[in-house]
Structure formats: structure tokens, C-alpha cells
Amino acid sequence: MEQDRGQFSSKLGFILAAAGSAVGLGNLVAFPVMASKNGGAAFLIIYLFFVAFICYPVMMAEIAMGRKTTRNPVGAFSELSGGALRWRLAGMLAILTPFMIAVFYTVITVWLIVYIREIATGGLEYLSGETAFAEVVARPSLFGYLFLLLAVIFFILLGGVKGGIERLARILMPTLAVMLILLTIFVLTLDNASAGISYYLIPDFSKVNLSVINGALSQAFFSLSLGMGILITYGSYFSRSDNIPQSTRMVAIADTSIAFFAGLLILPAIFAFDPNTNTDDLSTSSVGLIFSFLPKIFLSMQVAVGYVGASVVAIIFFTLVFFAALTSLVSIIEIPIACWIDEFNLSRKKAVGVQAVLLTLFAIPAVMSLGISDFFTYFTSYGGESKSYFDLVSDVFYETILPFVGFTVCIFCAYRWKVSGLKSELEIGDAAYSGSLLEKYINFSLGTLIPVVLLVVFTSTVAQIYFA
Ligand code: PFF
């Protein structure tokens, strides 16, 4: 079965693929909005602190678990714990979570395709209208786009680690970076853009409170694709002669840089639209911002570049977001596929087929959750609100279980795999690791600091969502 697992061709291949997973809606939309609402550079500083001192050790631990075992999360937890049931269950959770996150992320990606198509056929003005989003997400034609997207994704995944995942990242990641930089330069030339830059880059510590700190950590965690089993699986495709601490640093730097640049794009664009923007009024959800607010911003650019020019800018932006979402989606859907290959001895072809059927079955009700079907739209209610099937999947898996899986990885590495096992894995390919300050910090943070911080964040998130 070994030939079915595959391996990245080089360190760069791994870095691009892992960055492809990390760079997603979280960087391009959620980060700029959070930063602008929560004190600009003050938020950025807290975020950087969390990336360096909390997320970086967890990233290395996940990658090391995968590389050591050359297994998916279930196999990795199970092998390193000597088959203990509770750790096997933790591994299963690290498969189920990405499986379900993929369900709603797929639906959001479908909306992106519809928006690109609408704008390309002259519909930017229509999309700027108040009711456009609600109309678009209730269109039965979404099914056609869903099936098309799934066909593309599973075709890529059929190509395997090197020929599919890595090749996609090698093409899309540099393209995405160039598009982002060009778009940012264009936006910075607009009138009033400087107001947005100042808003973004001048720290305002008066906005920082406990919930901002909490939000910064959750955002950093999500943005680096932690707690989803992704890095465990990608670690299993990482060569044993390469350096984990260094490659991990590159991924974290790439991800954070893209988030930073996205802020330099979005904030000036918003302030160019309205120099008196009150950022407290910006939507809290990424979805609301991309699909309802940003089309208005792009439309307003017609004063400077005409309707066609504004539409071109909007298409470039939505394509950029689409590329980011596609590489993230491919990474997350690979996790259950790796599990079917390792644990059930399926060939890649069969594993891709099984996953394609399962994801399609779960994604169809999610597409129907925003108006197509009343049953899925008003699926349940909690926290004093009616919730759709889409909301339920997102709240349970994305908001709740995700940080919990990250927490189990830390506890596992620190107490069950014992730090000595982690240490010997991190030493491979990095002769300087043993005895370094980094090693001392990893041992301390995984065992004490990080579990405590994650537990606090996890408890307060659950309290907020379910007992609002
Ligand atoms: N790091 C991704 C982001 O910032 O959007 C998180 C992610 C979400 C990865 C969903 C993969 C995925 F399917």
C-alpha cells in the first residue's frame, strides 16, 4: 500500500502545499476585519505573539506526529499510543472534524464561483444590492456548480500528493501572491486609501479586552490550519531528511504575511469607499463581508476606473479568494482520504471515490440550508436562535471541536507520546535542535502553557455559542 501514500517532492513542495492549506478565507477576510475592529496593529501584535508562542509548537507537534508514523490522524494517534482506545477516538475526531468542515467550506466556495460568473457577465451592480446574497444562495442552480466543483477537487486529489496537491499549490500559491500584491498596489492609489492604512497600522490598545485576545488566538489557530488533522497528514508526506522546525516557520511566515497584506488591501478599499467608515459596523462574519459588503466597495470604484474596470478588479479579488479556498479545500478533503487508504487498505482511486460520494451526500443539505429547503434552513435551534444545517455543522465542528482537537494534540505530545518521542523526531533533519532554546520552550509550552490557554479559549467559546 506504500505506493498509494505518496510524498512531497521537496521541502519547498511541502511548504507550498501547507501554505496552500493555511491561506484561506481566514487570511483574506476574517483577519483584516478582526484587526480593524480590535485596535489595528494592537491586534496584529497579539496575533503575532500567539502565532510564535502557541501555534508554532502545535504545528511542529502535528507535523512530527505525521512524519514519525507516516499515517493519517487515526493511525498516528493509535500507533504512538500503542493502540489505546481513547487516543484512537481522538484520532477519529481529527478525521471527522475536517470531514465536516469541508462540508460548509465547499458551499462557501460554490458561492464564490457563482459571484465570479455573475460579475463576469455584468452583474456587479446586481450583487451590490441588499437582497442579492440571499437570492444567490437560494438558487437551485447552485447544485450544478457544486457538482462541478466537487468533480474538479476529486480530479486533483486523484493525482495524489505530488501530482495533485503539490502541483496545484505550485501553480496557485505564487499566482495568488502576485494577484494580491498587484491588487493591493492598485487599491493604495485610490483617494482616501491612506485613512485605511492609518486605521490598520496605528495600534489602539484601548480596544483590547479578554474577548479580543481570545479571538486572536482562535483566528491564529484556524488560519494555520491547526486542529484539523491537516498538518498530521501533510507531515506523513514530509521527507525524513528535511528540517521540521525550519519548514514550519516558513509556512507560518507565509500565512501571516498573506493575512497582513490582505489587511493592506481590504482596509484601504473600505476607507476609499467611505472615508468616515466606522469599523464597528463591519460585518463580524467573513461570509457577510465578502458576499454582501465587498461588492458595494468594488462597485464604488467605478468612479475611478469605470464599470468594466471595477468589475475586473472584483473578478481578480474573487478569483484570488477562490484559489485560496480551493487549495484549503483540497487539503482538508485529503485527510479522510488518507484515512481510507491507511486504515482500510483502499487504493487512492477507491478512497477518492468513497470520499466523493460521502462529501456529496453531506454537502447537498448544506447547499439547501439557505432558503432552498425549509427543512434544512430551519433545521434546529439553540442559544436562543433558529439554526440551519449549515450553521449547525459550522458551530459544532468549526467553532467548538476544532480547538478541542488542538488541545488533544498538545496533551498527547506532552503526556502520552512524551516529549522525548517528539524530540527525537524533531532532531531528524535538524542537528541543532537538541539542547536548543527552542527545544526547551517546546517542552514547556506543550506540557503546560498551551493546554491551559486552549482550555480557557475552548470553554469560553462553548459558553458563548450555546449559552449566549
Ligand atoms: N487556514 C484556512 C483558512 O484560513 O481559511 C482554514 C481552513 C479552513 C483550511 C477550511 C481548510 C479548510 F477546508
Side-chain angles (χ1 to χ4, degrees):
M1 294 319 303
E2 280 308 307
Q3 74 273 21
D4 278 321
R5 290 204 95 262
Q7 200 178 56
F8 292 116
S9 65
S10 62
K11 200 160 70 182
L12 181 67
F14 167 81
I15 293 171
L16 285 172
S21 170
V23 173
L25 299 180
N27 306 61
L28 295 176
V29 187
F31 178 83
V33 176
M34 288 183 104
S36 63
K37 285 177 167 229
N38 299 319
F43 180 85
L44 186 62
I45 293 167
I46 300 168
Y47 181 86
L48 289 177
F49 176 86
F50 283 141
V51 168
F53 292 102
I54 306 277
C55 297
Y56 179 52
V58 182
M59 284 176 89
M60 279 196 279
E62 288 201 13
I63 295 170
M65 281 176 70
R67 189 173 75 171
K68 170 76 187 167
T69 56
T70 43
R71 284 288 172 273
N72 68 92
V74 173
F77 271 104
S78 175
E79 190 176 315
L80 294 174
S81 68
L85 179 67
R86 65 168 165 277
W87 292 115
R88 239 187 118 70
L89 288 175
M92 285 177 194
L93 212 52
I95 301 283
L96 184 67
T97 308
F99 181 100
M100 295 307 285
I101 289 180
V103 169
F104 75 86
Y105 215 78
T106 301
V107 177
I108 297 177
T109 311
V110 167
W111 300 339
L112 286 170
I113 302 173
V114 177
Y115 265 56
I116 294 169
R117 210 208 96 120
E118 269 298 328
I119 301 167
T121 50
L124 180 60
E125 185 158 13
Y126 163 70
L127 292 176
S128 314
E130 288 311 320
T131 54
F133 178 63
E135 283 164 21
V136 167
V137 297
R139 285 182 188 168
S141 61
L142 290 181
F143 288 115
Y145 293 100
L146 171 70
F147 298 137
L148 182 71
L149 174 67
L150 291 175
V152 170
I153 290 172
F154 285 104
F155 176 74
I156 294 165
L157 286 167
L158 215 47
V161 178
K162 218 178 290 177
I165 299 173
E166 183 180 325
R167 192 194 283 172
L168 181 78
R170 278 184 186 270
I171 300 169
L172 292 194
M173 292 314 287
T175 313
L176 183 150
V178 171
M179 283 166 85
L180 179 60
I181 291 170
L182 292 180
L183 212 53
T184 307
I185 293 174
F186 164 73
V187 166
L188 292 180
T189 62
L190 297 175
D191 287 346
N192 297 315
S194 58
I197 303 176
S198 331
Y199 200 89
Y200 182 44
L201 294 181
I202 296 176
D204 175 1
F205 285 96
S206 69
K207 294 247 174 86
V208 176
N209 56 32
L210 206 65
S211 97
V212 169
I213 294 175
N214 197 333
L217 180 59
S218 307
Q219 172 62 20
F221 217 77
F222 174 72
S223 184
L224 291 163
S225 292
L226 287 175
M228 305 187 201
I230 293 178
L231 293 178
I232 299 180
T233 309
Y234 274 21
S236 76
Y237 306 139
F238 189 49
S239 157
R240 291 199 75 72
S241 55
D242 284 331
N243 181 319
I244 294 182
Q246 188 197 46
S247 312
T248 308
R249 245 184 335 265
M250 297 306 294
V251 176
I253 291 172
D255 185 65
T256 309
S257 310
I258 299 271
F260 177 76
F261 271 100
L264 269 188
L265 167 70
I266 304 260
L267 267 288
I270 292 174
F271 276 81
F273 167 65
D274 175 7
N276 301 315
T277 300
N278 177 358
T279 52
D280 289 339
D281 297 339
L282 294 181
S283 167
T284 34
S285 83
S286 305
V287 167
L289 189 91
I290 313 179
F291 296 106
S292 302
F293 193 67
L294 288 182
K296 293 190 188 69
I297 306 282
F298 290 120
L299 184 66
S300 74
M301 289 178 187
Q302 64 180 333
V303 181
V305 288
Y307 188 70
V308 173
S311 299
V312 169
V313 173
I315 288 179
I316 296 176
F317 177 79
F318 278 99
T319 308
L320 178 84
V321 181
F322 171 70
F323 286 169
L326 185 64
T327 46
S328 295
L329 254 184
V330 163
S331 77
I332 208 160
I333 299 172
E334 172 65 11
I335 316 313
I337 290 178
C339 175
W340 309 143
I341 292 176
D342 295 340
E343 306 303 308
F344 296 88
N345 279 343
L346 294 191
S347 65
R348 173 164 281 273
K349 216 174 179 175
K350 283 204 183 114
V352 167
V354 168
Q355 189 54 28
V357 172
L358 288 174
L359 181 57
T360 308
L361 288 179
F362 280 85
I364 287 174
V367 167
M368 295 164 79
S369 283
L370 288 105
I372 295 180
S373 143
D374 279 353
F375 177 72
F376 291 115
T377 306
Y378 307 102
F379 195 61
T380 179
S381 70
Y382 50 86
E385 280 177 63
S386 154
K387 300 274 187 175
S388 66
Y389 166 84
F390 180 98
D391 295 329
L392 178 70
V393 172
S394 149
D395 283 351
V396 171
F397 289 94
Y398 172 70
E399 305 268 4
T400 316
I401 301 187
L402 192 64
F404 180 72
V405 176
F407 173 71
T408 59
V409 169
C410 298
I411 299 287
F412 181 78
C413 288
Y415 298 107
R416 179 73 207 217
W417 190 18
K418 300 284 190 272
V419 176
S420 61
L422 176 65
K423 174 187 167 193
S424 52
E425 189 56 36
L426 292 178
E427 272 170 9
I428 299 172
D430 184 4
Y433 183 73
S434 180
S436 65
L437 206 62
L438 179 63
E439 186 203 337
K440 293 193 180 76
Y441 179 69
I442 299 289
N443 296 353
F444 157 71
S445 64
L446 283 176
T448 321
L449 175 73
I450 301 178
V452 171
V453 173
L454 290 184
L455 195 62
V456 170
V457 170
F458 173 68
T459 328
S460 68
T461 309
V462 171
Q464 214 173 325
I465 299 179
Y466 301 96
F467 307 101

